[in-house]
Amino acid sequence: PDVSMTLNGVLGGLVAITAPCDLVTPFASIIIGAVGAILMCLAIPFIDTKLKIDDPVGAISVHGVCGLWGTLSVGLFASDTTAGAELLGLFYGGGLKTLGVQALGAVSIIAWAAVIGAVLFLVLRKVGILRATPREEVEGLDSTEHGLASAYPDFVTSYNENKSF
C-alpha cells in the first residue's frame, strides 16, 4: 500500500461526506466516503497523466473531485425529514429536483472557480511572479525560498557551505 494514496483516500472520503453529513443515514455516509476514496484514487493518475496538471499532493482530486461527488451525493442520498422540511434525494424517493439543484450549484462553483482562477493566474503571469526564475528552478526552491539545503535531508549524501551537493 502507498501511504500517501491511503491518506489521500481517507481525506477524499472525509471531503465527500462533508456536504451531506447532516442529511444522510450512517450507511449512506459509508457509501459516500468509500466512493469518494475510490474516485480520488482514479482522479490522481487521470489528472496527472491525461490532463497533464502538476498536482504533486493530489489536492485537485481530494478537494475538487471528492467535493463535487459529495455535493452531488446530497441529491442522491438525502433523507432528512426533520423540522417539517422534507429534503429527499433520488434514492429516497425525492426525484431529480434535489439532484438538479445540487448539480446547478456544482456547475456554478466550477464556473466561478475557473473564471477567478484564470484572472488570478493571468495577473500573476503579467506581473511576472507566477513561476520561479530559471535560476531558482535549477538551484531548487528549498534553498532559494526557504533557506534549506533540502526538504528531504535523508536524500542528501553530502553538503558544504556553498550549498552544493
Side-chain angles (χ1 to χ4, degrees):
D2 183 322
V3 174
S4 68
M5 287 294 277
T6 302
L7 294 174
N8 272 348
V10 170
L11 285 173
L14 291 170
V15 167
I17 193 55
T18 300
C21 68
D22 65 330
L23 302 170
V24 298
T25 65
F27 181 72
S29 70
I30 292 169
I31 292 171
I32 293 166
V35 170
I38 292 166
L39 285 172
M40 187 283 313
C41 289
L42 298 172
I44 283 182
F46 177 78
I47 289 170
D48 286 347
T49 60
K50 300 293 185 204
L51 299 181
K52 305 244 187 267
I53 295 175
D54 185 20
D55 185 17
V57 296
I60 297 168
S61 300
V62 169
H63 297 283
V65 173
C66 294
L68 176 62
W69 160 243
T71 300
L72 294 175
S73 69
V74 171
L76 297 173
F77 293 98
S79 64
D80 187 29
T81 57
T82 59
E86 188 173 287
L87 181 62
L88 296 174
L90 182 64
F91 298 152
Y92 289 87
L96 292 173
K97 181 181 179 193
T98 304
L99 182 59
V101 169
Q102 293 302 111
L104 177 62
V107 168
S108 301
I109 291 168
I110 291 167
W112 179 84
V115 169
I116 296 299
V119 169
L120 173 67
F121 286 120
L122 180 65
V123 169
L124 290 175
R125 186 183 330 150
K126 293 292 183 192
V127 174
I129 58 175
L130 181 60
R131 292 190 54 105
T133 66
R135 182 188 137 269
E136 291 171 329
E137 287 181 2
V138 170
E139 217 175 290
L141 293 177
D142 291 339
S143 64
T144 59
E145 287 282 318
H146 308 293
L148 301 173
S150 173
Y152 307 97
D154 296 343
F155 296 136
V156 177
T157 56
S158 66
Y159 177 73
N160 66 28
E161 293 301 317
N162 296 331
K163 293 186 179 179
S164 60
F165 297 90

